[in-house]
């Protein structure tokens, strides 16, 4: 079963049919590099078959841990940065009411899932601690190494809070570590302290890890049906496995992106018309940016939350530099709807009264798309039928496999991130981390 469609009809004035067919030989090579494991970065492609070959025993432990957290905690604090939190946050926002995390405890069906360790801002951390208050809480620390600065600082703070509240033994029962299977400082600490542990697989990079314990535990705690999430991803694995461009929408997306890139469209905007999709855009930006932004190449990933952003940078999209193209994520069936009231009011809405807001929202998306296309902005549409776990799983896999193909088409390694280490080295040097003394001196001189 497939719940996702890919519409390229609005590309007709930008890309000819023959251009797509001419990409087939290159796509076939990229497919072989990805599927046969002969491309650079192949050691990080275990996500390809993760939806069908995941660890079933660990999956059951994740479900059991989620139930325990739901039974003894009002809050789960997820400590992680980048791929260690973006997928879970995107999924929880996608699957829940927009204001779900603002509900009072008595109105909630599941614990409040909050995120820490994704910045070094003290005001954010103090606000989060204030929000938890005296409520019962647990912590899921997610880090492959355990030494990444942002989550390491946050974990120290929350570990201390847990020990102050529950004692050392009680704290151990409320800390869940998702980390490397065999090595690293967090793995060592988790073994010594007896935390329940889950694995960040060696062959799955952080930005591809939402369908591992990294994303599954926080999603399950927040009430998400992770069995359906994996089923949707498995449907994607099956649907997007053919190297034939005419049969594979994910490969079509990768090919069209590269055609547009070669024509000078160097920035892609992922567009939504529902605030519950905002964080999905943040997850997508890491997936695209870390996979493709290297060797002086790559499409710059950005996002737009419409119709809100039409009243901010919408003018630029319409009339600015013609280096933009848009990919719209759209949901066919709204989760809920509102009927516009009928009333005697001089507000100019008489022609809309009695209509559904979802109709107005979809019509706004269509009108905006036509205006942008007329203004020289290519548009593609990724549409899912419903906003549920199955559709989300399939959409996650769609973008993951597409970026793998897209990276190989552009002649880069889609599965490393060498540039991420540059800022870390400088930060360690300026903070005086042992082993960076020589760098510390040179950086301080530059400052």
């Amino acid at each position: 079963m497939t719940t996702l469609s890919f519409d390229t009809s609005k590309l007709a004035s930008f890309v000819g049919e023959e251009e797509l067919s001419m990409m087939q030989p290159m796509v076939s090579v990229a497919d072989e590099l990805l599927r046969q494991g002969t491309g650079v970065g192949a050691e990080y492609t275990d996500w390809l078959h993760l939806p069908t070959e995941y660890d079933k025993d660990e999956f059951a432990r994740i479900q059991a841990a989620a139930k325990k957290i739901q039974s003894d905690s009002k809050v789960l604090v997820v400590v992680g940065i980048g791929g260690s939190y973006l997928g879970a946050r995107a999924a929880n926002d996608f699957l829940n009411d927009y204001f779900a995390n603002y509900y009072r405890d008595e109105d909630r069906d599941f614990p409040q899932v909050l995120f820490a360790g994704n910045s070094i801002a003290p005001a954010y951390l103090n606000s989060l601690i204030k929000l938890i208050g005296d409520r019962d809480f647990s912590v899921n620390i997610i880090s492959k190494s355990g030494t990444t600065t942002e989550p390491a600082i946050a974990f120290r703070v929350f570990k201390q809070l847990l020990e102050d509240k529950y004692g050392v033994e009680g704290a151990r029962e409320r800390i869940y570590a998702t980390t490397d299977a065999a090595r690293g400082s967090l793995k060592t600490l988790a073994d010594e302290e007896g935390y329940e542990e889950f694995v960040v697989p060696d062959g799955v990079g952080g930005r591809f890890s939402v369908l591992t314990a990294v994303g599954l535990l926080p999603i399950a705690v927040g009430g998400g049906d992770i069995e359906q999430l994996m089923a949707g991803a498995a449907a994607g694995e099956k649907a997007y496995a053919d190297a034939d461009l005419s049969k594979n929408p994910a490969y079509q997306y990768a090919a069209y992106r590269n055609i547009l890139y070669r024509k000078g469209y160097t920035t892609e905007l992922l567009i939504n018309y529902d605030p519950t999709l905002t964080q999905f855009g943040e997850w997508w930006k890491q997936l695209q940016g870390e996979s493709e932004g290297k060797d002086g190449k790559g499409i710059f990933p950005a996002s737009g939350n419409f119709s809100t952003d039409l009243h901010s940078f919408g003018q630029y999209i319409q009339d600015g530099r013609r280096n933009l193209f848009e990919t719209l994520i759209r949901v066919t069936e709204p989760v809920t709807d509102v009927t516009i009231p009928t009333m005697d009011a001089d507000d100019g809405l008489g022609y809309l009264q009695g209509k559904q807001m979802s109709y107005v929202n979809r019509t706004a998306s269509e009108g905006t798309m036509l205006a942008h296309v007329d203004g020289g902005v290519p548009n593609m549409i990724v549409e899912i039928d419903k906003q549920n776990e199955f559709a989300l799983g399939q959409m996650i896999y769609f973008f993951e496999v597409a970026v793998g193909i897209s990276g190989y088409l552009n002649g880069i390694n889609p599965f490393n991130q060498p540039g991420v280490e540059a800022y870390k080295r400088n930060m360690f040097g300026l903070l005086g981390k042992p082993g960076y003394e020589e760098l510390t001196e040179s950086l301080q001189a530059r400052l």
Side-chain angles (χ1 to χ4, degrees):
M1 181 174 68
T2 180
T3 65
L4 184 150
S5 63
F6 181 53
D7 181 357
T8 61
S9 60
K10 301 302 181 293
L11 290 180
S13 58
F14 303 96
V15 180
E17 290 184 14
E18 73 285 354
E19 291 184 80
L20 183 65
S21 63
M22 289 176 67
M23 291 291 290
Q24 183 62 69
M26 290 176 280
V27 168
S28 296
V29 171
D31 173 79
E32 183 175 341
L33 293 173
L34 182 65
R35 303 286 177 179
Q36 302 303 317
T38 56
V40 289
E43 65 272 24
Y44 292 108
T45 58
D46 286 357
W47 54 270
L48 261 175
H49 302 296
L50 191 62
T52 51
E53 297 178 4
Y54 61 91
D55 186 331
K56 307 302 189 297
D57 290 336
E58 183 181 59
F59 191 86
R61 287 200 302 112
I62 290 169
Q63 292 176 306
K67 288 181 179 178
K68 179 180 181 297
I69 294 167
Q70 289 167 349
S71 70
D72 67 17
S73 299
K74 295 294 185 182
V75 178
L76 172 66
V77 179
V78 180
V79 179
I81 196 168
S84 294
Y85 92 101
L86 283 168
R89 186 169 182 181
N92 280 355
D93 275 19
F94 180 92
L95 297 170
N96 289 289
D97 292 349
Y98 184 70
F99 293 106
N101 260 348
Y102 296 90
Y103 292 171
R104 296 171 300 182
D105 287 340
E106 59 268 27
D107 295 327
R108 300 183 61 84
D109 295 322
F110 302 101
Q112 192 173 20
V113 180
L114 302 174
F115 297 88
N118 47 64
S119 77
I120 321 175
Y124 176 91
L125 199 64
N126 281 324
S127 294
L128 197 156
I129 293 168
K130 184 177 180 181
L131 179 61
I132 296 171
D134 61 359
R135 294 182 294 169
D136 287 319
F137 73 101
S138 295
V139 171
N140 178 203
I141 169 65
I142 305 172
S143 178
K144 183 78 169 170
S145 65
T147 59
T148 304
T149 306
E150 296 91 338
I153 291 172
F155 180 57
R156 276 203 176 197
V157 172
F158 284 103
K159 181 174 182 288
Q160 184 65 62
L161 288 173
L162 283 172
E163 291 178 350
D164 290 345
K165 186 176 179 69
Y166 301 104
V168 173
E169 292 299 325
R172 287 173 180 160
E173 297 297 314
R174 292 177 173 272
I175 295 176
Y176 301 82
T178 306
T179 189
D180 192 271
R183 65 187 70 84
S185 64
L186 180 56
K187 168 63 178 173
T188 300
L189 177 66
D191 287 348
E192 292 173 351
E193 296 290 335
Y195 304 151
E196 181 158 9
E197 298 177 40
F198 301 100
V199 174
V200 181
D202 285 337
V204 180
R207 57 188 176 274
F208 292 88
S209 67
V210 62
L211 299 177
T212 71
V214 171
L216 294 177
L217 180 58
I219 293 169
V221 171
D225 185 339
I226 58 176
E227 291 183 1
Q228 278 298 297
L229 184 72
M230 297 302 286
E237 181 181 339
K238 181 178 180 180
Y240 311 131
D242 200 312
D244 186 340
L245 269 174
S246 67
K247 300 176 182 178
N248 192 329
Y251 282 22
Q252 290 174 23
Y253 172 62
Y256 277 120
R257 292 178 77 248
N258 277 267
I259 292 170
L260 291 169
Y261 178 56
R262 288 165 174 78
K263 289 174 179 278
Y265 297 100
T266 56
T267 295
E268 180 177 10
L269 296 173
L270 192 75
I271 303 300
N272 72 76
Y273 279 80
D274 191 309
T276 57
L277 284 161
T278 299
Q279 289 300 322
F280 187 86
E282 297 302 303
W283 170 82
W284 174 88
K285 283 192 287 189
Q286 187 202 7
L287 180 71
Q288 303 293 337
E290 279 194 358
S291 296
E292 294 192 311
K294 56 200 72 165
D295 300 338
K297 306 176 187 177
I299 297 167
F300 183 79
S303 59
N305 306 304
F306 292 175
S307 60
T308 304
D309 285 338
L310 291 175
H311 297 263
S312 55
F313 63 87
Q315 169 63 42
Y316 187 97
I317 297 172
Q318 190 67 44
D319 290 333
R321 292 186 64 188
R322 300 299 77 189
N323 65 336
L324 307 174
F325 68 96
E326 294 175 303
T327 300
L328 168 64
I329 296 180
R330 192 160 66 183
V331 182
T332 307
E333 185 178 318
V335 176
T336 61
D337 219 331
V338 173
T339 302
I340 299 171
T342 299
M343 60 179 61
D344 185 14
D346 188 19
D347 57 5
L349 288 183
Y351 72 107
L352 291 179
Q353 59 189 16
K355 290 184 168 59
Q356 300 299 107
M357 277 187 70
S358 63
Y359 162 77
V360 178
N361 200 29
R362 187 178 183 93
T363 303
S365 76
E366 291 169 343
T368 301
M369 186 187 334
L370 292 176
H372 288 179
V373 168
D374 290 345
V377 181
N379 265 252
M380 297 179 280
I381 305 171
V382 174
E383 184 157 359
I384 53 176
D385 61 350
K386 295 181 180 179
Q387 197 163 327
N388 59 21
E389 289 90 344
F390 189 95
L392 177 61
Q394 185 169 357
M395 186 163 62
I396 285 170
Y397 195 87
F398 173 92
F399 284 113
E400 287 183 343
V401 76
V403 82
I405 294 295
S406 184
Y408 283 142
L409 287 176
N410 206 17
I412 54 95
N413 179 351
F415 307 116
N416 67 351
Q417 54 278 340
V420 173
E421 301 307 314
Y423 92 88
K424 291 183 180 180
R425 281 178 49 79
N426 284 0
M427 184 168 65
F428 293 156
L430 288 172
L431 289 171
K433 185 173 182 178
Y436 291 80
E437 291 81 5
E438 191 172 323
L439 181 61
T440 301
E441 190 174 324
S442 66
L443 290 174
Q444 287 177 341
R446 288 174 61 189
L447 290 173

